[in-house]
Amino acid sequence: MSSRGAIYFIYKAHERIKPFVHRTPIITNSTFNNLIGKEAFFKCENLQKTGSFKARGALNTILKLKESNPNLKGVVAYSSGNHGLATAWASRLAEVKCSVVISKTTSEFKATAIQGYGAEVVTCEYDPISRIEACEKIAAKEGYEIIHTSDHDDVIHGQGTIAVELLQEVPDLDAILVSASGGGMISGIAIAAKSINKNIKIFMVEPKGKMAEKSLRSGKRWWPNPPQFIDTIADGLMSQQLGILTFPIICRLVEKEVFTVENEDMIKGMVFSFRYMKMVIEAAAGATVAAAMSEKLKQMDPSIKKIGVILCGGNVDMLKLPWYS
């Protein structure tokens, strides 16, 4: 699908979900701006329904399924936590049954929250293939529709509504920093943002070990198979590979220069947010804060003066903060 066609569906997604999701605030912090020498505008998806941006894509997908099939039997998703939470919440709102497949290592904090929305929780081994296989098994047995974490048009269009709201309020941004796992959020944001302002730059933020820059620069998928998880404190950024659908979108619209952050950087981003912005964010959001604080950004094109920073989620176990582990 072309970007011109996709932006129509992003606006339709926004109309579909906006009665049910928060229009999350955009905040600034003078201490942060003085630190980085630029103006940063934080889009607070950590304050979104279920605590992350995932509510947008999951709800858009499920509501659209219900539009086409009012007798939808149920949905199933695999998740490291946030997508499962979002799917469980959205399915309850849409009054459809829901199962969520999580790995055995998923935090009890997130597993309990998923169950709190009425979803069945199914555990599997800690690897991407096991999650997919378990999800497909449930879908076949129960006749459920699979709600993909990122690699689906309706999910991408839902996540793109973040950029619609951000640029309605701050139309003259020069760049947006977005963390990426499967790539649904950055794909949707890139489609929407570049359609609204063709000159804006979208930068990917990744955990160490994702190795996305080589693939983006070549346009080829250099990741090893089978798919694997990265060793990172950001459970929302565990997937090493970008999606089959999202990868070409990202290659076309996102800058080839990638911000790679280590666990220590994410912790610094989280601590700054907690201490100076009074914002509870998880490590995946700490990654974008760290990228905005980096020397790499300071050394980039000086014309990049106003940046959007996506705080993608705030689902962190307050009793197990990473700087105390």
Side-chain angles (χ1 to χ4, degrees):
M1 183 184 298
S2 68
S3 295
R4 182 175 297 180
I7 188 61
Y8 167 81
F9 289 106
I10 290 173
Y11 281 119
K12 290 291 286 185
H14 198 229
E15 289 298 313
R16 185 178 291 114
I17 69 175
K18 71 179 182 180
F20 310 105
V21 300
H22 295 312
R23 186 182 179 103
T24 52
I26 297 165
I27 67 168
T28 60
N29 183 275
S30 58
T31 301
F32 193 83
N33 290 346
N34 291 334
L35 178 67
I36 70 171
K38 302 179 187 295
E39 289 185 84
F41 297 82
F42 298 92
K43 179 64 168 164
C44 299
E45 288 296 294
N46 57 312
L47 302 180
Q48 186 53 266
K49 295 286 188 178
T50 75
S52 86
F53 76 97
K54 292 285 190 178
R56 295 174 182 265
L59 183 61
N60 184 53
T61 305
I62 292 173
L63 291 181
K64 196 171 177 185
L65 281 170
K66 283 275 286 189
E67 289 170 9
S68 61
N69 178 15
N71 298 316
L72 179 67
K73 292 186 68 176
V75 297
V76 58
Y78 56 87
S79 171
S80 60
N82 285 347
H83 179 63
L85 277 166
T87 303
W89 166 78
S91 64
R92 187 175 73 173
L93 189 151
E95 300 182 333
V96 298
K97 293 180 179 179
C98 176
S99 295
V100 177
V101 176
I102 60 176
S103 70
K104 294 177 179 178
T105 61
T106 299
S107 71
E108 183 180 351
F109 161 72
K110 289 188 177 181
T112 302
I114 292 168
Q115 291 173 322
Y117 287 115
E120 175 195 29
V121 171
V122 179
T123 58
C124 69
E125 295 302 319
Y126 178 73
D127 66 83
I129 299 300
S130 293
R131 293 197 311 179
I132 294 169
E133 288 177 346
C135 194
E136 290 176 341
K137 184 177 179 180
I138 293 169
K141 179 182 178 182
E142 303 293 342
Y144 287 1
E145 293 288 339
I146 296 175
I147 309 300
H148 293 273
T149 60
S150 57
D151 220 25
H152 189 281
D153 283 331
D154 295 332
V155 173
I156 292 169
H157 298 156
Q159 319 307 24
T161 62
I162 298 169
V164 171
E165 294 175 3
L166 179 58
L167 290 172
Q168 282 175 347
E169 296 189 39
V170 195
D172 55 344
L173 287 178
D174 299 308
I176 305 176
L177 297 173
V178 190
S179 58
S181 185
M185 176 170 59
I186 194 170
S187 294
I189 286 175
I191 292 167
K194 299 289 272 190
S195 297
I196 295 166
N197 175 6
K198 66 180 181 180
N199 295 319
I200 196 168
K201 297 180 184 295
I202 312 299
F203 290 100
M204 178 188 294
V205 181
E206 64 169 12
K208 183 180 179 181
K210 190 173 186 68
M211 304 182 295
E213 185 164 327
K214 180 180 179 181
S215 293
L216 263 59
R217 289 190 180 278
S218 66
K220 297 180 180 180
R221 302 178 65 87
W222 284 102
W223 297 286
N225 281 308
Q228 55 190 272
F229 289 142
I230 301 168
D231 183 13
T232 173
I233 62 169
D235 59 0
L237 302 178
M238 292 192 310
S239 295
Q240 185 180 47
Q241 296 193 16
L242 295 167
I244 300 300
L245 184 61
T246 61
F247 179 62
I249 297 171
I250 293 166
C251 284
R252 187 172 76 250
L253 299 176
V254 173
E255 300 302 307
K256 302 300 185 284
E257 195 161 9
V258 175
F259 288 80
T260 302
V261 295
E262 303 203 23
N263 287 341
E264 293 78 10
D265 302 316
M266 296 183 209
I267 290 172
K268 288 177 182 177
M270 292 176 72
V271 169
F272 187 97
S273 177
F274 277 55
R275 179 175 292 163
Y276 296 104
M277 291 161 43
K278 314 310 175 191
M279 280 285 165
V280 174
I281 61 171
E282 60 189 84
T288 54
V289 178
M293 296 167 67
S294 68
E295 284 298 319
K296 184 170 188 171
L297 183 64
K298 290 179 182 178
Q299 294 170 9
M300 279 187 170
D301 184 350
S303 68
I304 300 176
K305 297 177 180 179
K306 301 181 74 171
I307 59 170
V309 181
I310 310 300
L311 301 181
C312 59
N315 289 319
V316 59
D317 188 341
M318 298 299 287
L319 301 179
K320 297 180 180 179
L321 294 171
W323 50 90
Y324 291 135
S325 60

